[in-house]
Amino acid sequence: MDNLNKKDKAQLKELKSPMAVVDWAVNWFRKQSIFMLAYGTGCGAIEIPPTVTARYDAERFGVRGAATPRQADVIVLSGYLAVKTLKRVIRTYEQMQEPKYVIALGSCPINGGMYWDSYNTIKQLDRYLPVDVTVAGCMPRPEAVLEGFMALKDKIQRGEAEGARDYRDNIEKYKNNQKEIFGDKMLPGYTCDWYFSDGGSF
Amino acid sequence: MTETIDNLLERIGRNFQITGQEVKKAGLAALHCSQEQLHGVLIYLKEVEKFDTLTMIGCADWIEDDYFELSYMAYSFTTFFTVMVKIRVSRDGSSVPTVEGIWRQARTFEREIHEMFGVDFPGNTRLKEFFLENWQGMPPMKRDFDTVQFVKDHYKLREEGREGACNVSVERKKRIDAKKLELKKEGE
């Protein structure tokens, strides 16, 4: 109990059932160590190195890099996404194991940002992938990136970071949106077997 | 006698029909020639004047005068000169034989120009899609391509406002007040 801070202790006192305590504890452990897959798509890639290195030292908060998608908990999409990139990002995301989260940096994934009239970048990332936390800014500085991670940790602790479940439940919607921009060059089926084995229509 | 870029241009002018030339700054010269002369000039630059590398091929869309201007930039590691060889081609259905045989990297530059401007390069061995996947319709870097209309047709822009949108300055003040209160409590 000594490692718990005030906020944690206050939350614990409010829990009623034993199962709620177990859930709370699982979430508490999950949020302590977040392995990040930094997918440097746009200009935000330059903000990741200072975030994880000595000056801002994200590892203080349990955030560190992961080598492969399969070992990562969170994918950080830093900046605008071209259509070609988005296809790779979706494949990467579908390879990750649950629990998995998405953090989008910058205004471009939110509403297109300064590339709103570009022919080749997507305008709203959350139409194609379930985004848990978006950090606004152009580009957000490492402090803001860390703030985003803190927000994600809060969300995990509250049990609300359910992007992966949302993706699974609303896969029709997401795949339809993806098909709108990929056309007949959709992702190959094996990237999400769990969907296609159920007789998906793509 | 030290080699100057003026001497170089004079030698090129003796051997080829150059329609225009200018020295932009020290070590950088531009010369215009016809499409038929292009390969001759480039081979001359590479084999005789030892211009080892092709730095890039640029393309500019002069829509008012109805032509594309292709600039082949060759660079020499012995004299450190850059020479731009410019040609003009028509905007519709233009085709320029590839220079892949002279400098191999031209293959990639031409591939990009083919995708972005629609200029054809017969003889290029790898003229397939590059940045854009599954692109149909007008190449996007042409100036008559309406990018805003394209975005409206193909992407959904976020509508103004959202459910539960808050006033940022009000919310910020609320947060600061709450933080102050929290700190005050901790202090007590």
Side-chain angles (χ1 to χ4, degrees):
Chain A
M1 289 291 277
D2 290 344
N3 285 330
L4 298 181
N5 60 25
K6 261 186 201 167
K7 210 167 153 191
D8 290 338
K9 282 176 185 165
Q11 280 177 353
L12 258 182
K13 275 177 196 162
E14 284 172 19
L15 298 175
K16 298 286 189 302
S17 68
M19 273 319 287
V21 177
V22 174
D23 281 348
W24 186 92
V26 168
N27 287 335
W28 189 86
F29 285 117
R30 265 180 195 163
K31 79 167 184 182
Q32 298 304 329
S33 131
I34 296 178
F35 276 52
M36 154 180 86
L37 184 74
Y39 199 109
T41 56
C43 31
I46 207 73
E47 304 291 340
I48 301 294
T51 310
V52 296
T53 48
R55 175 142 191 189
Y56 292 98
D57 195 12
E59 206 159 344
R60 289 179 293 164
F61 307 106
V63 178
R64 56 166 295 183
T68 74
R70 286 173 213 277
Q71 295 163 346
D73 296 310
V74 53
I75 182 168
V76 178
L77 301 171
S78 48
Y80 65 85
L81 286 146
V83 173
K84 196 172 177 178
T85 320
L86 179 69
K87 203 180 280 184
R88 276 78 184 162
V89 165
I90 291 171
R91 285 186 77 156
T92 313
Y93 178 76
E94 286 174 355
Q95 280 178 40
M96 286 164 65
Q97 305 193 43
E98 287 186 39
K100 55 184 175 184
Y101 316 103
V102 181
I103 293 183
L105 302 185
S107 29
C108 299
I110 300 173
N111 61 6
M114 63 184 284
Y115 298 103
W116 69 274
D117 62 348
S118 163
Y119 53 87
N120 201 29
T121 61
I122 55 150
K123 314 304 166 199
Q124 301 178 52
L125 179 60
D126 55 1
R127 281 172 62 80
Y128 314 107
L129 279 179
V131 181
D132 291 291
V133 173
T134 48
V135 183
C138 183
M139 272 312 288
R141 287 193 40 81
E143 298 97 320
V145 177
L146 284 176
E147 191 73 17
F149 275 107
M150 293 301 114
L152 178 67
K153 285 168 88 164
D154 276 354
K155 226 175 161 186
I156 295 172
Q157 179 67 81
R158 294 199 304 271
E160 289 169 12
E162 293 286 2
R165 182 181 294 169
D166 178 47
Y167 191 66
R168 213 169 40 224
D169 292 348
N170 300 312
I171 186 72
E172 287 289 343
K173 183 190 91 183
Y174 284 112
K175 287 285 161 194
N176 274 326
N177 289 345
Q178 289 168 14
K179 198 174 164 58
E180 266 175 30
I181 53 165
F182 296 148
D184 51 351
K185 291 275 183 78
M186 263 304 268
L187 298 157
Y190 58 81
T191 56
C192 55
D193 283 334
W194 41 267
Y195 172 65
F196 289 98
S197 60
D198 294 335
S201 53
F202 294 111
Chain B
M1 191 185 102
T2 51
E3 169 78 339
T4 63
I5 201 145
D6 293 315
N7 295 343
L8 174 73
L9 289 181
E10 196 199 322
R11 284 202 299 278
I12 298 173
R14 268 206 299 269
N15 292 316
F16 298 96
Q17 291 166 4
I18 302 299
T19 50
Q21 64 181 48
E22 59 176 314
V23 179
K24 300 250 180 194
K25 60 179 184 185
L28 175 65
L31 47 90
H32 295 261
C33 67
S34 66
Q35 194 183 317
E36 291 74 35
Q37 295 275 305
L38 172 74
H39 288 73
V41 175
L42 291 181
I43 291 173
Y44 175 80
L45 280 176
K46 190 189 178 194
E47 300 298 337
V48 181
E49 301 292 345
K50 303 294 176 218
F51 275 74
D52 319 85
T53 186
L54 181 72
T55 333
M56 66 176 289
I57 305 175
C59 184
D61 185 358
W62 293 91
I63 191 168
E64 294 85 359
D65 304 330
D66 199 33
Y67 63 82
F68 287 133
E69 190 173 68
L70 294 178
S71 320
Y72 294 75
M73 298 185 71
Y75 182 72
S76 165
F77 286 110
T78 43
T79 54
F80 307 114
F81 291 156
T82 304
V83 171
M84 293 160 68
V85 185
K86 296 188 174 187
I87 58 165
R88 291 176 179 184
V89 294
S90 76
R91 285 184 85 253
D92 44 340
S94 48
S95 83
V96 184
T98 180
V99 297
E100 186 189 324
I102 309 173
W103 289 287
R104 197 150 164 265
Q105 66 267 36
R107 187 161 75 167
T108 308
F109 301 143
E110 287 173 353
R111 191 175 162 196
E112 184 181 355
I113 290 173
H114 173 69
E115 182 165 88
M116 292 298 174
F117 292 92
V119 181
D120 192 22
F121 292 94
N124 190 312
T125 50
R126 230 172 129 204
L127 214 59
K128 53 182 184 178
E129 65 181 13
F130 194 14
F131 296 119
L132 310 171
E133 286 189 337
N134 202 20
W135 186 269
Q136 281 131 7
M138 185 186 280
M141 294 296 274
K142 285 176 100 166
R143 274 171 63 200
D144 45 356
F145 174 77
D146 189 348
T147 174
V148 175
Q149 191 56 44
F150 182 86
V151 167
K152 281 180 185 158
D153 294 346
H154 287 78
Y155 301 100
K156 259 208 166 66
L157 290 168
R158 199 176 289 281
E159 287 150 20
E160 276 179 41
R162 60 187 153 80
E163 276 177 51
C166 310
N167 187 324
V168 175
S169 49
V170 174
E171 289 300 309
R172 188 161 169 270
K173 195 163 181 304
K174 268 190 209 168
R175 274 198 206 180
I176 292 171
D177 289 347
K179 191 78 189 172
K180 275 182 187 165
L181 206 68
E182 197 180 301
L183 290 173
K184 207 176 168 187
K185 269 185 189 170
E186 276 180 12
E188 277 171 6

